[in-house]
Structure formats: structure tokens, C-alpha cells
Amino acid sequence: MDVSSQMERPKKQKLGGGEEMVGQRKGLSDLPDVVIAKIISSLPTKEAIRTSILSKRWEYLWTSIPNLEFYPGNAKRSLLVNVVDRALLLRGPSDIKRFRLRFPVLGDASRVHAWISAIVRRNVEDLSIELDSHKEPFSLPHSLLTSATLKVLNLYLPCSFKVPSTICFSSLRELSLCSVVFSDDYSTQQLFSGCPVLEKLSFSECNWENIKFVSICAPKLLSLSIDESELPISRGSNVCQIMVFGASLAYFYYSGQLLNDYCLCNSSVHEAHISIDDTKGSRLDSYLLHKLLRGLSTVKSLTIFHQNFEVALTGASELLAQMPMFNDLTTLIFDGSVIELDSMVLLRILQNCPCLRDLSFHEGVRLCSDDAKDDGMLDIPLPPCFSTSLKEIAVTEFCGNQNELRALRILLKNAIVLENMFVSYRGTLEGNTEKKRDLNKQISDLPKGSQSCEIDCD
């Protein structure tokens, strides 16, 4: 029997809307507009625009997608201008949820101003503007700075930032400013006073040279990040004093050259990262860092990039003795360089962390001199945490020389409530099974102040 004779012809079935399809197959172009728009919305903007050539019906569907991103790439600047113009001109009444634009302004400041105004009229919630190749002061549209829908604003503006007198970001939760040059005290103060519900604030390579003082009062602020590590300016005779009042502040990050005076007031920071770059260890450096640490006395987890941190903190020796107490600190991490166990900064911090539980040396630890007396902690009293709370010590980038083994010996002997020591070998020992086996034995044979301590070497 011919098998093909048993195959039935596909039956025509009607859809809910009365359309017919054959064998339950339907062309993509026959889908409802709302479904097609959802498909287009999942594409990158560049690909979404390309769908306009598929058919007459698809020609303008991309103009209603909620998220738009425009970057110059290798395209001509004139082409980017035309595409953005077309996207905003042809767009119907639908809102824009997220908008991203990177654009070399040159002489088109008024055009950019019009674009931003058009975006704001579409109730944008998440806006990222990166503008370069513009030398003159740039002013943002008043409508943007009084937007009731904007929740996230990322602004890259490497020129003087002109701020109007009226600012009210009533819904703004996240603000990120990159390479912004603040023009004067008053307008800068107006900017931060107009963000009553701000939760996340970040500055990256911003220039405060024209500012003497600014107060940032943000009762709902949870996260503050400051990165000045690549700022191509030197500190003048004056520094800008930036006072941050954030009772809810939980996370703080700083990386830079201590160009400004940052003061955290009435904060309850739980996690902090501090990295100091290119410091000469002046008295001013020491003062600024010491003041910053005082505002972080509530931290529970602190990461310190150590090398320049120590140089900066020892610029005024009398301040070292006034190191703030970190009574809530349970996790302390040193990164960025090998730590000398006899570092006065390290020992002073440990003295002031009575509840420390976890201590990590991400780039290793060593003791280059044999000054330890009876394996004690050198010439200072034993930090209280070594006898009451320190449960875990982690050492990475370990290569097994005598200076490193000497440091481990002192740590193990004095941490009398230690439960675990984790030692991770440097990548150069990978595959050297015999060397690692020998080091494992040397470490396990070290005397321990805590008989319940387990050592894990990897």
C-alpha cells in the first residue's frame, strides 16, 4: 500500500479572529502588532531598525519599542543624527522606558538639547547620555531636571556643567556622574538638594576644582561610589569639602588620590572599599584619609588596597595613634600588595577591631625581619581579636619563602581561637606537586595556638 495515500490533506482551521491557517502554520507577518512589537523590542536598536525593510507593515513598528540605544560605532556622525531624529520624530504617543545615547556634540548642542527634551516628554525612566567633543559649558533642559518619571540618570559630560536654579528629581533613585566639571558652589548644591529619594550615587573622574563646599543630604541613600583614580588634575592649595549626610548609607567605595575632603556624617556604612593612588604621604593626605576612616567606624566589612593606603596614613604619625575604633568590623581584607606583618598601620587597625572574625590577605603576607619575640606579635600588645573572635585567616598568592612562612607561624601561634586557615598557592606553583607537598607539610607542622584549627592548603 502506498503510504502517501494514507496522509490526509491539512485541514483549514480558523483562529479566534476569523483568520485561516493551514496545518496550524502562520506567517510571522500575520501576527498581531503587539506581538511583533514585543519581538522587535527584544532586539538591539540597530537590528530593530533594520526590520523596517521587511514589509510596509513593519516599517514603523520599531519606533514604538520601549528601549532605544544609539552609539556611533563606525557609522558616520551624520547617519547617527538622522537615525535619532527619525526615531524621535516618528515615535507615536508610547512612552520610552530606557534611552541610551553616545554622541560627539561638536556644534550640535541645541540639537542634543531638543533630543533630550523629546525623550523627557515620553516619560523616560532610565536615561544615559554620553556627550563628548564639546568645549563650551553645557546646560541640560529644564524639563529633564524637573522630570517626575526619571528613576535612573547616567551622565558623561566632560565639560562645565550648567545647572538651572530649579531642580526636582522627585523619582530619581540612581545618579551617576562621569567627568562632570562642577561650575560653582550654588548650582552644585542645588543639584544634590533636588534628589530627595536618591538611593545610589556615583562620581567618576569628576572635577570639583571650582567648588569649596557642598552638602549632600540624602536620607534614603544606600550606596556611594567615588572614583578619582584617573583624574588628570593635581590638587591645588584648596580642596573641596564634600559632606555626605546619609543615615541609610550601607555601601561606600573610594578610589583616588585624596584630592578632596570627603566627610561621612551620621552614616551607618556596613561595607567599604578604600584604594589610595599615587600619594606622597603628605600631612594633608594623612588628615583626609583619617577623617574619611572616622566616617566609616560602623563598617562590618572593610577592604583596603594597602600599599598607598599605608603611605597616606603615616604622613602624620600622631594621627595613627588616633585611629578610630571599628567595633562592628567582622571582615577585614587587604588587597593590592603583599602585606608586611610588622606594618604599624596593619597592627594599629587590628588593635582597633575587637570583634574581627575573618582576616584575608589577597596578595599574601610576610615578615622580612625576625623581630618576633617568642613568636609574639612583635613589640605591641596582642590585638584583642586574636584571643576572642578571630576564627578564619585566608592567605592567597603564597609561594612558600621563609618570610611568608615566618608570618604564618606568628599568625597561627597567636590566634588562639582560630578555627580555619586557608592558604592558596601562587599560580607559578601550579603543577609543581612535589613543591606543594613539601610546603603543605611545613605549614601543617607550624605550632598552633588553637588546637581546633584546621589548615586547608590549595
Side-chain angles (χ1 to χ4, degrees):
M1 181 182 295
D2 186 359
V3 177
S4 63
S5 65
Q6 298 181 339
M7 297 180 63
E8 297 181 0
R9 293 179 180 273
K11 296 180 179 180
K12 292 183 178 180
Q13 301 180 9
K14 286 193 174 183
L15 298 176
E19 299 178 71
E20 291 186 345
M21 70 176 184
V22 180
Q24 297 186 353
R25 289 177 297 179
K26 186 173 178 65
L28 184 63
S29 61
D30 293 324
L31 293 173
D33 284 357
V34 64
V35 176
I36 297 176
K38 191 169 185 179
I39 294 172
I40 296 176
S41 297
S42 66
L43 300 173
T45 300
K46 183 178 180 180
E47 302 303 323
I49 294 174
R50 286 177 175 174
T51 64
S52 63
I53 65 173
L54 295 179
S55 71
K56 191 71 174 176
R57 184 184 174 201
W58 286 58
E59 188 173 0
Y60 300 111
L61 288 178
W62 69 272
T63 63
S64 62
I65 61 178
N67 302 325
L68 294 169
E69 299 181 355
F70 299 100
Y71 303 113
N74 296 323
K76 291 182 178 180
R77 182 176 177 280
S78 58
L79 178 59
L80 178 61
V81 169
N82 290 335
V83 170
V84 177
D85 275 343
R86 185 165 176 255
L88 297 178
L89 178 65
L90 298 177
R91 191 174 188 88
S94 59
D95 289 346
I96 296 177
K97 184 175 182 180
R98 185 177 70 238
F99 192 93
R100 301 278 186 269
L101 173 67
R102 183 184 303 141
F103 183 69
V105 179
L106 298 178
D108 275 332
S110 59
R111 183 188 295 270
V112 174
H113 198 281
W115 285 346
I116 297 175
S117 297
I119 296 163
V120 173
R121 286 196 297 271
R122 300 305 196 284
N123 299 316
V124 65
E125 297 180 12
D126 184 339
L127 178 62
S128 179
I129 302 291
E130 300 180 37
L131 306 177
D132 54 25
S133 302
H134 185 66
K135 303 300 182 182
E136 300 298 322
F138 188 88
S139 60
L140 293 172
H142 183 266
S143 59
L144 172 64
L145 298 174
T146 55
S147 169
T149 60
L150 192 64
K151 296 178 180 178
V152 179
L153 176 61
N154 299 298
L155 182 64
Y156 171 82
L157 185 62
C159 64
S160 183
F161 181 39
K162 295 177 65 177
V163 181
S165 57
T166 304
I167 299 175
C168 183
F169 286 118
S170 58
S171 301
L172 192 67
R173 302 295 196 272
E174 298 182 18
L175 176 61
S176 176
L177 301 175
C178 181
S179 297
V180 169
V181 179
F182 297 106
S183 57
D184 61 83
D185 290 48
Y186 177 75
S187 64
T188 304
Q189 185 64 64
Q190 288 295 104
L191 172 63
F192 297 116
S193 297
C195 307
V197 297
L198 197 63
E199 296 176 357
K200 185 176 181 180
L201 176 62
S202 65
F203 302 107
S204 178
E205 317 305 343
C206 289
N207 186 330
W208 303 82
E209 281 190 316
N210 301 320
I211 313 298
K212 294 181 179 179
F213 174 83
V214 66
S215 172
I216 301 174
C217 184
K220 296 187 177 182
L221 188 65
L222 300 174
S223 172
L224 174 61
S225 298
I226 302 165
D227 188 348
E228 300 175 331
S229 56
E230 300 295 331
L231 200 59
I233 62 173
S234 59
R235 181 170 58 207
S237 56
N238 297 316
V239 297
C240 176
Q241 185 178 28
I242 304 164
M243 300 191 71
V244 181
F245 295 87
S248 302
L249 189 62
Y251 175 83
F252 178 78
Y253 172 90
Y254 178 82
S255 177
Q257 309 164 53
L258 295 171
L259 296 175
N260 299 293
D261 181 1
Y262 293 100
C263 180
L264 306 180
C265 306
N266 302 322
S267 69
S268 56
V269 176
H270 293 163
E271 181 181 355
H273 297 247
I274 306 293
S275 176
I276 308 301
D277 302 314
D278 300 326
T279 178
K280 295 181 180 179
S282 67
R283 291 184 62 82
L284 181 56
D285 287 340
S286 185
Y287 169 78
L288 294 176
L289 181 53
H290 185 267
K291 187 175 181 180
L292 181 58
L293 290 174
R294 287 208 311 267
L296 297 172
S297 60
T298 61
V299 293
K300 296 180 179 179
S301 175
L302 177 60
T303 298
I304 294 172
F305 292 82
H306 184 71
Q307 185 174 9
N308 290 322
F309 181 92
E310 179 162 12
V311 173
L313 205 55
T314 53
S317 57
E318 70 275 10
L319 291 179
L320 193 58
Q322 301 175 33
M323 179 81 69
M325 292 294 297
F326 299 98
N327 291 317
D328 299 321
L329 189 66
T330 57
T331 301
L332 179 59
I333 300 170
F334 289 95
D335 206 343
S337 64
V338 180
I339 304 301
E340 297 290 345
L341 193 57
D342 58 354
S343 159
M344 287 306 299
V345 170
L346 166 66
L347 297 176
R348 176 55 62 184
I349 292 176
L350 291 176
Q351 284 285 347
N352 289 17
C353 302
C355 298
L356 187 66
R357 176 182 173 85
D358 302 318
L359 177 61
S360 297
F361 302 97
H362 282 184
E363 295 293 334
V365 61
R366 66 191 178 193
L367 179 60
C368 295
S369 60
D370 195 10
D371 291 336
K373 297 179 180 179
D374 298 325
D375 294 330
M377 290 292 288
L378 308 171
D379 295 324
I380 69 170
L382 186 70
C385 61
F386 273 70
S387 58
T388 60
S389 61
L390 188 59
K391 303 294 184 181
E392 292 186 358
I393 297 177
V395 178
T396 57
E397 295 298 315
F398 188 82
C399 60
N401 61 49
Q402 289 303 307
N403 292 335
E404 292 173 308
L405 287 167
R406 187 180 294 119
L408 290 192
R409 179 186 182 90
I410 292 177
L411 290 170
L412 283 169
K413 185 66 179 292
N414 288 278
I416 62 176
V417 296
L418 196 66
E419 296 177 356
N420 297 287
M421 174 172 277
F422 302 97
V423 179
S424 179
Y425 294 119
R426 185 170 295 178
T428 53
L429 293 178
E430 186 68 31
N432 194 338
T433 307
E434 184 176 347
K435 174 69 173 177
K436 292 170 70 172
R437 187 185 300 117
D438 178 59
L439 288 174
N440 287 348
K441 185 176 187 310
Q442 290 187 62
I443 295 171
S444 63
D445 288 343
L446 293 173
K448 306 183 214 28
S450 170
Q451 297 306 311
S452 62
C453 177
E454 296 184 2
I455 301 176
D456 184 2
C457 300
D458 181 16

